[in-house]
């Protein structure tokens, strides 16, 4: 189980960093509404631009913390739960603007992965 949790940490951590650091200005089929960048996506959700920067800093910080958690296990649980919470917000925003269901699938998938990571991490500490 430990190796599965580590694999999920790598998948989630690198994927979040990819979205926010490598592809923030790239159009993808997953962006909310007809947005082509992350900033446009936040505007589509009716959110101010500063919230994009705040969420970005939080997601990048938590993704890095999740990756560091591979070596420092005590960081893994809080980082995965923090990311799960932010990803739930993404799902809610897609729902708010009545996006097709497939657009919120990546956020849902990564949220589930984060919850599996958190469950595996906290169960390991309590067993």
């Amino acid at each position: 189980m430990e190796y599965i949790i580590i694999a999920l940490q790598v998948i989630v951590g690198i994927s979040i960093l990819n979205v926010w650091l490598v592809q923030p200005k790239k159009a993808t089929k997953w962006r909310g509404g007809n947005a082509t960048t992350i900033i446009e996506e936040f505007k589509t959700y009716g959110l101010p631009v500063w919230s994009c920067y705040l969420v970005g800093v939080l997601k990048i910080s938590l993704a890095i913390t999740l990756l560091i958690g591979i070596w420092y296990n005590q960081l893994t649980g809080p980082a995965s739960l923090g990311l799960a919470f932010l990803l739930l917000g993404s799902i809610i925003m897609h729902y708010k603007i009545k996006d097709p269901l497939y657009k919120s699938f990546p956020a849902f998938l990564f949220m589930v992965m984060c919850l599996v990571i958190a469950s595996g991490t906290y169960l390991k500490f309590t067993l």
Side-chain angles (χ1 to χ4, degrees), residues 96-118:
K96 175 187 170 192
I97 65 166
K98 298 179 177 29
D99 263 342
L101 194 56
Y102 78 88
K103 288 196 175 200
S104 60
F105 178 74
F108 175 77
L109 178 63
F110 287 113
M111 183 185 73
V112 169
M113 287 182 188
C114 285
L115 294 173
V116 169
I117 292 166

Side-chain angles (χ1 to χ4, degrees), residues 67-86:
L67 292 169
I68 293 170
I70 294 169
W71 297 278
Y72 299 96
N73 293 332
Q74 65 273 23
L75 300 175
T76 303
S80 60
L81 289 175
L83 279 170
F85 177 75
L86 291 172

Side-chain angles (χ1 to χ4, degrees), residues 15-58:
S15 296
I16 298 289
L17 293 174
N18 177 53
V19 168
W20 283 89
L21 297 177
V22 178
Q23 298 188 19
K25 295 180 180 178
K26 278 185 149 178
T28 72
K29 67 180 183 177
W30 313 110
R31 296 223 184 270
N34 296 317
T36 58
T37 68
I38 284 185
I39 290 181
E40 285 180 19
E41 188 172 11
F42 273 68
K43 288 179 181 177
T44 300
Y45 297 143
L47 299 171
V49 172
W50 64 262
S51 66
C52 180
Y53 294 109
L54 175 63
V55 170
V57 166
L58 290 172

